[in-house]
Amino acid sequence: MSAPTIDERDLRVESGAVGVNHDRIDGPSKISGKAQYVGDLNVPGMLYGKVFRSQIAHGRITRLDVSIAEAMDGVVAVLVGSDLTDIDPFYGHAIRDRPIVALDRVRFVGEPIAAVAAKTMAQAEAAAKSIIVEFEVLPVAADLDTALAADAPIIHDGKTAAGFAHGLGNLPDRDGNICYSYSLNTGDLGSVTSADNIVVDHEYIFPAVYQYSMETHAVIAEHTGTEIRLWANCQHPFLVQSEIATLFNLPISSVRINVPYLGGGFGSKSYTKMEPIAAALARKAMRPVRIVNEVSESMVTTRRHNMKCRMVTTAKSDGELVSRDVQIWLDTGAYADNGPRVTATAGDAATGPYRWQATQVRAHCVYTNTAPSGSYRAFGATHLQWVGESQVDEIARRAGLDPLEMRRRNLLRRGEVVRVNGKPLDADLIGDIEKVAASLGWGEERKQNRGKGISVGLLAAGAHPVSMASVRMDATAGVSVLVGSTEMGQGTRTVMAQIAAQVLTVPMSTVSVPEADTRFTPYDRSTGASRSTTVAGKAVERAALAVLALLLETAGQIFGVADVSNLDVVDGSITDGKLSKTFSQIIKKRFGFVGGELIGHGEVKPEGGSGSYEEGPVFWEVCIAGAEVEVDKNTGVIKIIRTSSVADVGQAINPAQVERQDEGATLQGIGNALFEEILYSSEGDLLNDSLLDYRIPTILDMPETMNCIIVENGDGPGPFGSKGCGEGALAAIPAAIVNALGDIGIEMYELPLTPERVWKRIQEIQEIQKSK
Amino acid sequence: MLVPSFEMHVAKSVEDAIKLRSEFGDDSSFYAGGTELLLVMKLGLTDLAHLIDIKHVEELSSISIDESGVRIGAAVTYREIENNPILKSDHPEFVQMISGVANLRVRSVGTLGGNLAFADPASDPATFLLAVKGELEIGSVNGKRRLVPMAGFQTGPYQPDLAENEMIVSIRLPRNLAGGIVVHERMKLKERPNITVAVFAAVANDKVTEARVAIGSIGLVPICIPEVNKSLEGASRATLSERLRQAAEIASTEITLFDDANGSVDYKRHLVKHFVEKVARRAIEAVLLN
Ligand SMILES: Cc1cc2nc3c(=O)[nH]c(=O)nc-3n(C[C@H](O)[C@H](O)[C@H](O)COP(=O)(O)OP(=O)(O)OC[C@H]3O[C@@H](n4cnc5c(N)ncnc54)[C@H](O)[C@@H]3O)c2cc1C
């Protein structure tokens, strides 16, 4: 891993905590095994929960008998649909289409039908096994084509009920199995076609994949009658809090969620997942219950949308891009989950950061009888970038242009419109792609069976920009940062500590960042969309500045200085040039006796507008990467020789963490591109629900060189000019790999690039060449 | 899923293990590294009340090497094989095959006996043993022992030729390969191999006198196809490429394949052809040069 060069770093703040590779503050407890995850926690009186799930993909429940289970040893409660008649049991932040447990119908294999709470795990498992269910089997639509056919079984009926946080403007009614559509048009497609244009037109397939965080979904729930307590591994505690409150008719503040460390999320723990069923089970049992999914259960709790896409790109014969027409169908499974948002983001990513005369995007979110699909790191962008970028490369080849030159000519420049009414481009894409190309040895002599590819894209990042934070400084000048960002391995607690330490000029060792507890931690919209450093970090910066203002105010009084801008803050002290007082002395002076504490509040909210997605994003996350690959034409096996990615972060708060983010995203991108694919039978059975059959990348699949180039132009809206990262490389790597294959004449239209798929394509291309 | 509860019995000798197994019958199983057994139990596919731990039986846990050959106790782990200095120096191809099995976690507890007794269609050792004419020592009731060739031991997927109260006691490799050489390759895309090919070849007077091509991890059981071996016998430098092509062609048409999550029959046929040609070439060229 090469370090950023000096001139790339000269914008870094001069001294202090920011811009420094501080060790992870959660490192020691994790490495020593002391860190606590939900599965490690015990609450007094806690029971063990086991979910009873559907074995069929679509059917009406004709009989559900839990009497044997209820009578079994150790069983305290069995939750079924009929326990939920006193509440409106449907949830879903985008579309409220999902019952806590199946009421009268099941829509996918793995859908919860009942849940058992027992004194031991073994008793809960045994009782769940004894539950009897019978169905009237309904026809199954286990894939997009079946679900979109004229005679498709319709998976949801009744009116579409909007969820509490869909953020999609007017939610239209369902059209067959299409639960949401998004469209985006510019110019007039009909008027720009011309006879000598280059036209590239293909259909593309992206597979269903699983987020595969090491830790599965886990919740402990307790319902006291007037309050619900949850210990949950959720990425968005405050959105879960709202949703649980709505479901159980409680004020938001009567739901309290603690979020310990997460063993990875990648989107799988965004929004509400296992919390409603755990809360409902605890309510019935009248005791706390813990539910910990097995891997096979988490794989049917959420996944990434598989997609079909038809894209047509046209260009002039000299490679100037003219138009793009895109149709997208995303398989959201049996319940919408975050599907509508994923659909809109995919639509936004479809045209890529290029100048067009006309574009048309129509993206559809489709129900099928498979497990629900939701967020997954760089959603939408990962789906579309390889499609769009492989078409740009195909055009370059046909126009006789180098892919890098093709992009120099067509890429948007800083300040140009990306999406009408949205934020203009806030990055230097051409500068970034040049860096990636240089680090790949672009233009060097080609080796046999090796190809190189680059790709560029943008991801609308930041989500809804609402975050709050509190910074508290005690009388010894110890600092606690209360911020809702979930620590899921990305290092957010370390970054928040660095921001506070920088503002307050105190050592990192005096700053602590505890877990989120919604009773005490201020509101934060969510941990996702690369937003925490930028948005929540900004709130922390403001909260720390508020503490600093209080310190200066008191110091001004001590020094008898009216204008505190004449005072200097140096290493935890304030000085007027002659005298100096430590923060601790100032606090004791302010309150007298043993002192008190200073509390600063920081708030980020939409500036001016409504904070809607259309006028966003908070920033455009740059998705730029390159790859060199080698193909074994005899087996179709692809080896990734090297990768290179750009982290265009404005200012790296912790450069090492930025690099780790890009490396993780790169490896995940390699998984999405080469290996990962959830397989369903036509009856909707999940065929590969363990690591034995579902292939994720391992350390052995790492390229020999993974180069992360940190770009710091100081142009981000976050603290110290920073902007988020961590998703860009995931969107860009599959595209770079596909383009590297295209570079040696193997154009691919379906992921993952399994050896068999690549080998077959090579045979197909050879046949075509023979017949010419 | 939790592993259902069971009783563990630690066997003191081969005879003791077989006696326990006869006593508990269907409701019991030998337990070596547990890398297959525990997976099967966790999946709820079996519900055994008794496990017979064979790891502490001296006879099953030792390696001995003398003039007559190599004897590896059935409960010896892959890791012990990998780290054995004599095997490393005298049987490098065997050790290289072993050190590519699964991953370090599986190799540090998994055993050669467990692999062969489980008779998974995807097995590197079973394929290798076919090529070198390895043998298995089987122990039965009343202290009876017999030696059986690897060829024919696996009668179908997960079907070893073992009676209910029989066990594998040891695995035998020839001490030296009678002037021949063995070469082994596998392609692994997920946890287990997608194809394993091992080829033994011997030469006299610049002609192949004996060739044994074992193909595993892709069909129902690891196999040696006599016509494939025959098509390589007599090959010389001049005719090698043509003979290899023939051998690969016969192998890919004769072998029984099926579509599954590891690939289509078309792709698998191609892999058989490619790897048979490649590995046989490596083996024969190496002996021709010797
Ligand atoms: C993740 C993973 C990856 C793998 N990859 C590979 C690979 O790349 N190549 C490959 O060849 N294999 C592979 N395997 C298979 C591996 O080689 C076997 O799991 C291992 O050798 C089994 O040995 P064990 O001692 O753990 O058997 P156990 O699980 O203890 O036993 C397996 C079965 O054999 C029976 N048994 C055990 N010993 C004897 C005996 N002496 N006599 C009679 N019956 C006996 C048991 O009763 C049981 O039914 C893989 C397995 C896993 C889990």
Side-chain angles (χ1 to χ4, degrees):
Chain A
M1 191 57 46
S2 68
T5 56
I6 299 297
D7 61 322
E8 281 164 2
R9 297 300 268 296
D10 60 11
L11 270 155
R12 186 153 297 158
V13 285
E14 287 299 312
S15 65
V18 161
V20 176
N21 292 332
H22 272 291
D23 286 348
R24 291 273 297 265
I25 60 177
D26 50 340
S29 73
K30 285 183 176 170
I31 286 171
S32 62
K34 290 191 190 112
Q36 297 272 297
Y37 297 81
V38 174
D40 300 319
L41 303 178
N42 277 295
V43 170
M46 186 182 87
L47 302 171
Y48 296 83
K50 182 74 195 171
V51 177
F52 174 72
R53 296 169 182 275
S54 176
Q55 307 259 18
I56 69 160
H58 202 186
R60 239 171 256 295
I61 299 173
T62 52
R63 176 178 172 223
L64 177 60
D65 184 351
V66 297
S67 56
I68 300 172
E70 280 173 331
M72 280 169 77
D73 263 2
V75 172
V76 176
V78 182
L79 174 77
V80 293
S82 56
D83 292 319
L84 303 171
T85 50
D86 62 322
I87 59 173
D88 183 348
F90 288 88
Y91 69 101
H93 69 281
I95 298 175
R96 274 180 62 216
D97 54 2
R98 176 148 197 196
I100 295 174
V101 289
L103 299 177
D104 53 349
R105 185 167 164 191
V106 293
R107 296 181 173 87
F108 70 97
V109 173
E111 177 158 7
I113 294 175
V116 178
K119 288 178 183 155
T120 70
M121 196 60 219
Q123 288 167 333
E125 278 186 1
K129 265 198 199 139
S130 77
I131 293 173
I132 297 162
V133 65
E134 288 168 12
F135 301 101
E136 173 201 334
V137 175
L138 297 170
V140 172
D143 55 59
L144 281 167
D145 288 341
T146 314
L148 291 165
D151 60 347
I154 298 301
I155 296 165
H156 286 270
D157 31 44
K159 281 199 79 65
T160 297
F164 78 107
H166 63 80
L168 297 159
N170 246 347
L171 203 61
D173 269 332
R174 255 187 328 275
D175 173 11
N177 286 318
I178 295 179
C179 68
Y180 172 74
S181 292
Y182 177 81
S183 61
L184 194 66
N185 302 319
T186 62
D188 176 11
L189 210 57
S191 69
V192 297
T193 47
S194 94
D196 64 342
N197 275 358
I198 299 173
V199 179
V200 176
D201 176 356
H202 300 291
E203 193 174 288
Y204 300 83
I205 304 284
F206 186 92
V209 292
Y210 175 49
Q211 293 89 339
Y212 233 122
S213 57
M214 273 197 281
E215 180 202 29
T216 59
H217 300 90
V219 197
I220 301 171
E222 182 175 14
H223 193 299
T224 64
T226 54
E227 193 187 87
I228 293 176
R229 283 208 68 177
L230 298 170
W231 291 260
N233 55 11
C234 52
Q235 291 179 226
H236 307 348
F238 293 88
L239 294 181
V240 174
Q241 183 192 26
S242 291
E243 189 147 37
I244 294 293
T246 309
L247 264 176
F248 293 93
N249 295 319
L250 291 169
I252 291 177
S253 55
S254 297
V255 176
R256 178 177 175 192
I257 307 183
N258 280 68
V259 186
Y261 291 127
L262 266 63
F266 312 115
S268 67
K269 294 162 183 164
S270 68
Y271 299 102
T272 305
K273 295 289 181 287
M274 298 299 291
E275 295 85 358
I277 193 170
L281 182 58
R283 182 177 85 141
K284 181 155 189 200
M286 295 192 290
R287 279 174 64 174
V289 184
R290 182 171 81 198
I291 295 181
V292 179
N293 272 354
E294 288 173 27
V295 168
S296 58
E297 294 182 289
S298 273
M299 280 183 93
V300 295
T301 299
T302 185
R303 62 178 177 92
R304 199 206 273 285
H305 293 74
N306 53 301
M307 174 196 77
K308 186 167 90 168
C309 172
R310 168 94 187 269
M311 185 181 278
V312 187
T313 305
T314 72
K316 294 187 182 156
S317 53
D318 65 356
E320 184 188 317
L321 292 172
V322 174
S323 73
R324 183 171 274 181
D325 186 4
V326 196
Q327 264 183 292
I328 300 163
W329 296 269
L330 287 152
D331 178 349
T332 205
Y335 297 100
D337 196 298
N338 204 28
R341 178 81 259 139
V342 174
T343 304
T345 304
D348 283 346
T351 55
Y354 295 102
R355 227 168 281 116
W356 304 101
Q357 292 180 30
T359 59
Q360 174 172 283
V361 179
R362 286 160 293 170
H364 310 286
C365 187
V366 186
Y367 284 131
T368 64
N369 293 115
T370 60
S373 315
S375 308
Y376 178 152
R377 199 173 188 177
F379 61 69
T382 309
H383 289 100
L384 264 298
Q385 188 162 331
W386 71 281
V387 175
E389 285 294 274
S390 67
Q391 295 213 332
V392 169
D393 264 26
E394 234 177 291
I395 289 169
R397 280 192 288 277
R398 283 166 60 179
L401 277 183
D402 178 83
L404 184 58
E405 180 55 27
M406 175 78 190
R407 287 176 175 79
R408 281 191 202 109
R409 289 193 193 176
N410 288 288
L411 276 175
L412 294 176
R413 282 158 203 269
R414 193 186 286 278
E416 282 191 89
V417 173
V418 180
R419 183 181 60 197
V420 189
N421 300 328
K423 182 166 190 163
L425 183 58
D426 51 355
D428 172 18
L429 300 180
I430 296 174
D432 288 347
I433 191 94
E434 301 268 11
K435 288 191 179 74
V436 158
S439 92
L440 274 187
W442 200 255
E444 279 170 13
E445 202 185 326
R446 178 196 294 281
K447 299 211 178 88
Q448 215 200 345
N449 293 330
R450 284 198 184 179
K452 289 177 188 168
I454 47 174
S455 88
V456 190
L458 291 175
L459 173 61
H464 192 66
V466 177
S467 288
M468 268 134 246
S470 297
V471 169
R472 299 168 59 174
M473 183 179 279
D474 64 38
T476 63
V479 176
S480 327
V481 178
L482 303 185
V483 58
S485 299
T486 295
E487 176 58 72
M488 49 187 181
Q490 82 281 45
T492 188
R493 292 195 198 174
T494 307
V495 163
M496 298 305 174
Q498 284 181 255
I499 293 168
Q502 176 77 27
V503 172
L504 293 166
T505 72
V506 296
M508 280 286 283
S509 58
T510 63
V511 184
S512 66
V513 186
E515 70 180 41
D517 174 343
T518 58
R519 173 154 295 170
F520 306 106
T521 312
Y523 184 91
D524 174 45
R525 186 213 178 260
S526 51
T527 304
S530 302
R531 72 190 294 283
S532 292
T533 300
T534 315
V535 184
K538 193 78 195 164
V540 169
E541 183 192 22
R542 287 178 178 163
L545 283 168
V547 169
L548 197 60
L550 295 171
L551 287 164
L552 284 164
E553 174 192 286
T554 306
Q557 290 158 7
I558 295 171
F559 295 128
V561 175
D563 181 0
V564 295
S565 67
N566 292 325
L567 298 176
D568 275 339
V569 184
V570 183
D571 293 341
S573 298
I574 297 179
T575 170
D576 62 356
K578 288 168 281 187
L579 282 176
S580 173
K581 293 276 175 206
T582 65
F583 288 172
S584 178
Q585 289 169 327
I586 295 168
I587 294 170
K588 287 192 181 129
K589 188 81 190 165
R590 181 182 178 102
F591 298 102
F593 197 42
V594 292
E597 78 171 329
L598 300 179
I599 303 180
H601 175 64
E603 178 179 297
V604 176
K605 59 183 191 336
E607 307 294 339
S610 64
S612 73
Y613 282 96
E614 297 81 75
E615 64 184 40
V618 176
F619 63 98
W620 290 104
E621 183 166 352
V622 171
C623 312
I624 291 186
E628 181 177 14
V629 309
E630 184 175 76
V631 186
D632 179 341
K633 290 193 170 159
N634 288 308
T635 57
V637 171
I638 295 172
K639 184 169 183 281
I640 311 292
I641 306 294
R642 56 177 157 173
T643 60
S644 186
S645 60
V646 157
D648 188 333
V649 293
Q651 158 74 49
I653 306 291
N654 185 321
Q657 285 193 187
V658 171
E659 286 170 358
R660 299 297 89 75
Q661 277 299 304
D662 260 28
E663 286 162 8
T666 294
L667 206 52
Q668 224 166 7
I670 290 172
N672 276 235
L674 300 190
F675 312 123
E676 297 185 48
E677 183 172 26
I678 294 178
L679 300 169
Y680 277 102
S681 73
S682 60
E683 287 308 303
D685 292 310
L686 207 177
L687 301 175
N688 53 346
D689 64 0
S690 85
L691 278 180
L692 285 178
D693 304 310
Y694 182 88
R695 167 81 153 88
I696 57 168
T698 71
I699 216 83
L700 298 174
D701 300 307
M702 290 215 329
E704 287 153 23
T705 311
M706 268 195 217
N707 196 9
C708 161
I709 304 163
I710 299 180
V711 174
E712 296 177 291
N713 293 329
D715 50 3
F720 312 102
S722 63
K723 51 184 167 175
C725 68
E727 300 190 87
L730 178 46
I733 284 287
I737 292 172
V738 168
N739 281 353
L741 276 183
D743 186 38
I744 40 176
I746 309 169
E747 286 165 350
M748 296 297 298
Y749 310 119
E750 182 170 3
L751 297 186
L753 305 168
T754 58
E756 175 163 10
R757 215 165 257 147
V758 173
W759 176 77
K760 281 204 167 131
R761 182 78 182 121
I762 293 170
Q763 308 310 304
E764 218 173 84
I765 293 165
Q766 282 170 357
E767 284 303 310
I768 295 169
Q769 278 163 355
K770 257 188 237 158
S771 68
K772 267 186 191 161
Chain B
M1 287 283 286
L2 302 172
V3 178
S5 59
F6 54 82
E7 205 179 321
M8 181 79 93
H9 308 267
V10 179
K12 293 179 198 69
S13 64
V14 170
E15 282 59 45
D16 188 29
I18 290 173
K19 209 176 105 231
L20 286 163
R21 180 89 169 95
S22 315
E23 195 177 310
F24 298 119
D26 259 359
D27 214 11
S28 71
S29 185
F30 295 122
Y31 167 71
T35 58
E36 299 286 17
L37 191 61
L38 294 183
L39 268 183
V40 169
M41 289 173 74
K42 274 190 198 166
L43 289 172
L45 299 178
T46 59
D47 189 2
L48 299 165
H50 304 276
L51 295 191
I52 302 156
D53 184 348
I54 59 171
K55 287 194 296 289
H56 305 282
V57 176
E58 170 65 28
E59 193 186 354
L60 297 174
S61 318
S62 59
I63 300 176
S64 60
I65 304 165
D66 59 28
E67 282 316 299
S68 62
V70 178
R71 178 194 173 284
I72 299 174
V76 170
T77 65
Y78 294 113
R79 206 65 192 135
E80 286 163 336
I81 296 173
E82 275 179 86
N83 290 332
N84 183 291
I86 305 178
L87 288 178
K88 271 207 289 213
S89 67
D90 294 4
H91 297 271
E93 196 68 25
F94 177 65
V95 170
Q96 186 241 319
M97 178 276 293
I98 292 291
S99 61
V101 168
N103 52 52
L104 191 53
R105 271 175 67 196
V106 170
R107 286 201 304 282
S108 46
V109 292
T111 66
L112 200 50
N115 181 305
L116 299 173
F118 195 65
D120 191 300
S123 169
D124 294 314
T127 312
F128 189 93
L129 289 172
L130 263 188
V132 298
K133 283 197 168 167
E135 292 177 310
L136 309 180
E137 182 191 358
I138 309 292
S140 336
V141 277
N142 304 328
K144 282 206 204 95
R145 300 288 171 92
R146 64 195 160 98
L147 269 186
V148 302
M150 183 63 219
F153 178 71
Q154 214 171 314
T155 58
Y158 311 104
Q159 285 168 18
D161 188 12
L162 282 176
E164 187 179 288
N165 40 26
E166 285 185 324
M167 75 184 300
I168 303 175
V169 176
S170 72
I171 293 93
R172 309 289 178 92
L173 294 176
R175 173 71 174 124
N176 60 53
L177 293 170
I181 202 168
V182 61
V183 169
H184 163 271
E185 266 190 46
R186 81 196 102 207
M187 182 173 99
K188 200 158 102 166
L189 301 174
K190 293 186 197 142
E191 283 291 349
R192 292 170 204 250
N194 293 55
I195 181 167
T196 309
V197 172
V199 176
F200 167 82
V203 184
N205 303 325
D206 288 335
K207 285 213 163 112
V208 175
T209 51
E210 200 183 351
R212 229 167 12 254
V213 178
I215 309 162
S217 309
I218 194 161
L220 295 169
V221 291
I223 53 160
C224 255
I225 302 168
E227 292 76 30
V228 173
N229 300 341
K230 227 173 279 155
S231 70
L232 291 172
E233 279 160 25
S236 65
R237 235 167 240 267
T239 59
L240 184 58
S241 290
E242 180 51 31
R243 296 295 196 89
L244 286 170
R245 241 189 316 275
Q246 272 176 20
E249 189 61 43
I250 299 171
S252 71
T253 43
E254 287 302 306
I255 192 169
T256 307
L257 299 170
F258 42 89
D259 291 315
D260 65 8
N262 285 325
S264 67
V265 167
D266 275 358
Y267 182 57
K268 288 182 178 178
R269 265 193 215 300
H270 166 75
L271 289 180
V272 169
K273 203 165 163 177
H274 171 67
F275 279 99
V276 165
E277 184 170 343
K278 183 178 177 205
V279 182
R281 178 184 293 280
R282 273 184 57 201
I284 295 170
E285 284 184 347
V287 266
L288 278 175
L289 284 180
N290 253 350

